[in-house]
Amino acid sequence: MSGEPAPPLARSTLDRAAHRRTDPAWLAEAWERARVLVLDSAAEGRALVRGVASPPELVLVGPGDLPEVPRSVPMFLGVEPDGVPVFAVDLPLPALPETRPAHLREVGHLMTDRDAGLFTTALALLNWHLRHGYSSTTGKATRADEAGWSRIDPGGDRVWPRTDPAMIVLVHDGADGADGRCLLGNNAAWPRTPGQRRYSCLAGYVEPGESAEAAVLREVREEVGVPVEEIMYVGSQSWPFPGSLMLGFLARADAEAPIRVDPAEIAHARWFTRREIGAALAGEPVPVGGGDRLVLPPPSSIALFLVHRWLDGHC
């Protein structure tokens, strides 16, 4: 993907410096001169930002500015290009002037590469800790270790952060021009908003023993009953809600093939032209039936990134 746009949460400027995670003396010294990102797990992992316009600036503080003891050990994120180490802690957000709490979903796509990388990494790591308080092997309570990059139980059983691989695919008909079409679905689990209906790319978790490409074939067939071919990998990004790695694909299908949705997964599915997608992105109402208008995926998602790739003819 060199020279091409990256998915919004796949950007970073940080050196993770993994070899430092097991060096207690270095970590203790680094903490004293660190920049610290405060996340509040009680507020869905929000952090403080400055600025309403793009790009909002992620607020980092010094260790001496923290109002209380963190809920967990400081998590070492890495070293910035200027040599300053960065940690993240779980605390109530401090009251600082001209700042506001923000969620990664809300601001991730607007941030600089540096801030997007810090926020995404910290939230992914925090969410992993919140869900692994006990060993899946022994059932015993675990504690954070290795600067937040592992957890260990009293008997020495250790676990490291894991992400769940999931595929997400923009299915298209291969046609050029304004009348080329893509197939989007409205997930049955999404909350209903009167007057709106959100459509997005088809997605699902990669199952044990399965390749990502095989998951694309299976999920599209299961969710909408349409066979696909010419599967092309585009890129990936973390989706730390709570801990997925989204593997993005484009794939071609016959737009005349019958759509048979699995109602447990997909409430509605239909083909949209480039003209319709462009209109929706421009803020124009695109009717989708029942008095609803089309709403596209949020800008921090890789789904909208894939839509733009197709819209621009990169397929």
Side-chain angles (χ1 to χ4, degrees):
M1 294 181 63
S2 177
E4 297 182 357
L9 302 187
R11 300 171 292 129
S12 181
T13 62
L14 192 69
D15 175 3
R16 295 196 172 206
H19 63 289
R20 297 296 193 184
R21 298 171 187 170
T22 55
D23 186 341
W26 185 89
L27 290 166
E29 183 275 330
W31 172 253
E32 297 301 321
R33 57 187 177 90
R35 298 182 181 117
V36 183
L37 172 60
V38 179
L39 301 179
D40 187 355
S41 62
E44 298 182 319
R46 284 175 169 82
L48 289 181
V49 299
R50 287 191 183 91
V52 176
S54 178
E57 178 187 356
L58 197 61
V59 175
L60 284 82
V61 299
D65 299 322
L66 298 177
E68 55 188 283
V69 177
R71 297 172 179 134
S72 62
V73 301
M75 299 173 289
F76 172 59
L77 302 184
V79 178
E80 300 233 57
D82 62 1
V84 178
V86 183
F87 289 76
V89 296
D90 180 12
L91 277 173
L93 298 179
L96 298 177
E98 300 181 353
T99 68
R100 62 184 175 92
H103 198 282
L104 181 63
R105 281 192 181 99
E106 172 196 353
V107 298
H109 62 292
L110 300 173
M111 289 180 151
T112 63
D113 292 356
R114 179 255 193 181
D115 285 1
L118 288 175
F119 201 168
T120 303
T121 301
L123 184 58
L125 199 53
L126 173 64
N127 282 340
W128 177 76
H129 281 288
L130 293 174
R131 286 160 176 78
H132 290 80
Y134 295 87
S135 169
S136 61
T137 302
T138 66
K140 297 178 181 177
T142 61
R143 61 174 176 82
D145 196 24
E146 296 182 329
W149 287 91
S150 72
R151 296 189 69 87
I152 190 169
D153 76 1
D157 187 71
R158 187 183 299 274
V159 292
W160 290 268
R162 294 290 185 269
T163 55
D164 297 318
M167 51 65 50
I168 182 165
V169 59
L170 191 286
V171 178
H172 62 91
D173 65 357
D176 297 326
D179 292 324
R181 291 175 287 180
C182 70
L183 177 59
L184 303 178
N186 170 255
N187 194 294
W190 290 339
R192 177 82 166 84
T193 301
Q196 301 180 0
R197 191 182 303 167
R198 177 155 59 100
Y199 281 82
S200 187
C201 301
L202 303 174
Y205 288 106
V206 179
E207 294 186 344
E210 185 177 50
S211 70
E213 291 81 2
V216 170
L217 290 167
R218 175 182 55 76
E219 285 285 351
V220 175
R221 183 177 62 250
E222 289 176 356
E223 292 188 351
V224 295
V226 174
V228 298
E229 57 186 7
E230 297 180 17
I231 298 171
M232 182 177 75
Y233 174 72
V234 176
S236 66
Q237 74 168 30
S238 173
W239 192 244
F241 311 111
S244 297
L245 175 64
M246 304 303 298
L247 307 170
F249 293 86
L250 297 171
R252 189 174 66 81
D254 181 359
E256 303 306 317
I259 295 174
R260 300 185 180 91
V261 300
D262 175 1
E265 295 279 346
I266 303 295
H268 307 275
R270 56 162 285 188
W271 290 90
F272 294 91
T273 65
R274 279 192 177 87
R275 185 179 290 104
E276 289 174 309
I277 296 297
L281 289 171
E284 301 172 16
V286 176
V288 291
D292 293 338
R293 65 177 179 87
L294 171 64
V295 174
L296 290 171
S300 287
S301 71
I302 194 173
L304 192 63
F305 176 81
L306 294 173
V307 168
H308 277 290
R309 290 275 296 185
W310 167 77
L311 191 67
D312 296 338
H314 296 289
C315 58

